[in-house]
Amino acid sequence: PNCEPKELCQRQFLFIVGIGGGRSGSTTLLNMVDLLPGVAVWGEMPMLVVSLKNLAQALKDHKADGKMDGRMTALAAPGDRHPDRVALEIQELIWNMVPPPKEKREEATVRGFKDIHEWNKETIDLVRRACPCSRFLFSFRRDEEAQEKSQQKAFKHKQEGEITLSELALGSQGFELPLEDFSVSRFNKMAEWLGSNCKFNQVIKTHSKGGYSVAAYPCKDCVTCPKT
C-alpha cells in the first residue's frame, strides 16, 4: 500500500489473521503464500502476538488515564503518521523475530507470520502504525457451524477468536479469503493483490477430513512465475 511516514516504510510485512480459531484454512493459506518468491511467512507466533497485544493494551490504558508521553503519541493516536522511534523499535522486533528460512534468505523482501488465536483490533491497529507498509490476510469460514464441528474433531473443544471482520476496516490493506472461496482464481486474485506476477495452478490440500494429515509440500507445480 501507499506508505507514510517514509522512515517506517523500509520493510514490507504480511500477516495472516485467523478468525474464529482453527480449521479456517489458515495453514493452506500460509503454504500458498509461501510459494510466492520474495515472501517468507512463519506459522503460529503466539508469544510475539501476546507481547504486542499487551503493549497495545498498555498504550490504551495509559491514554485513558491521561498519562501518555510524547514518545508514545504516534502509536496511541489512530491517524497520527509522524515517525516515532518506539514504532521503529516495534517494527524491528517483528522483523527480527521472523527471519526467512535459508532457502529464501537472499530473496525474501516480505516477512510475516500467521496467528489464529491472539489477534485483536487494538493489536492490529498497533501493528499497522508500527509497520505501515503491511498487509493482512483474513482466514475464516462463513459456515461457523462446520468450523466448530471440525474444531471438536481436531481439538476436542470449540476455539474462540478475539476479533471479528466487522471490527476492521482495512481497505486495500486487507484481503478476505474464506475457506469456501478457496480456488485457483481466488488465490491468483490474492497474488495480484500482493503485487506478484506469479500464477497459481492448483490449491494445496494441507489438512483434510478434520485431521492433520499434511499433503506433500512444497508443491513445485502449484505456481508458475515469469522468468527474470
Side-chain angles (χ1 to χ4, degrees):
N2 294 329
C3 184
E4 293 288 343
K6 296 302 182 185
E7 289 85 348
L8 296 176
C9 298
Q10 305 306 307
R11 301 182 179 117
Q12 296 177 301
F13 295 88
L14 177 63
F15 303 102
I16 297 175
V17 180
I19 306 293
R23 311 308 299 172
S24 66
S26 63
T27 301
T28 293
L29 180 53
L30 168 69
N31 288 341
M32 292 291 285
V33 166
D34 231 20
L35 289 173
L36 298 174
V39 179
V41 179
W42 280 57
E44 304 293 332
M45 297 287 289
M47 292 301 295
L48 177 55
V49 184
V50 168
S51 296
L52 294 169
K53 185 196 300 186
N54 290 339
L55 177 56
Q57 185 62 48
L59 290 167
K60 183 179 179 180
D61 293 344
H62 280 298
K63 185 180 180 184
D65 292 341
K67 298 178 180 179
M68 190 64 58
D69 62 40
R71 295 179 70 227
M72 297 301 209
T73 302
L75 293 176
D80 189 337
R81 310 301 285 178
H82 296 294
D84 183 88
R85 182 63 195 173
V86 178
L88 186 57
E89 289 173 355
I90 293 172
Q91 184 185 117
E92 289 178 348
L93 170 66
I94 298 172
W95 186 260
N96 292 330
M97 287 289 289
V98 288
K102 184 177 180 180
E103 61 272 17
K104 280 196 167 185
R105 198 161 294 161
E106 297 299 323
E107 69 172 36
T109 57
V110 179
R111 298 186 188 184
F113 60 85
K114 81 156 184 163
D115 188 86
I116 61 174
H117 298 297
E118 301 295 342
W119 288 109
N120 61 16
K121 184 180 184 302
E122 290 75 19
T123 308
I124 288 180
D125 287 344
L126 173 67
V127 170
R128 289 178 70 196
R129 289 193 288 278
C131 309
C133 195
S134 60
R135 292 195 171 190
F136 295 81
L137 282 168
F138 295 101
S139 173
F140 62 98
R141 279 192 183 187
R142 293 194 186 93
D143 190 338
E144 296 179 2
E145 183 178 347
Q147 184 174 2
E148 180 179 349
K149 287 181 179 178
S150 186
Q151 289 172 349
Q152 292 285 357
K153 183 174 182 179
F155 315 120
K156 310 305 180 186
H157 64 89
K158 179 182 178 181
Q159 294 183 331
E160 300 285 353
E162 293 194 37
I163 197 168
T164 62
L165 282 173
S166 60
E167 295 180 84
L168 304 169
L170 271 62
S172 62
Q173 260 189 296
F175 189 93
E176 299 177 11
L177 223 170
L179 180 65
E180 292 85 352
D181 288 357
F182 278 15
S183 65
V184 170
S185 61
R186 187 60 177 164
F187 275 103
N188 282 331
K189 284 284 187 182
M190 178 199 72
E192 182 181 349
W193 170 75
L194 288 171
S196 174
N197 54 7
C198 296
K199 297 292 184 182
F200 291 105
N201 305 310
Q202 65 184 80
V203 178
I204 297 173
K205 302 296 184 182
T206 307
H207 303 322
S208 61
K209 299 180 180 179
Y212 272 85
S213 299
V214 181
Y217 179 80
C219 176
K220 296 180 180 179
D221 299 323
C222 287
V223 65
T224 302
C225 300
K227 294 181 180 181
T228 56

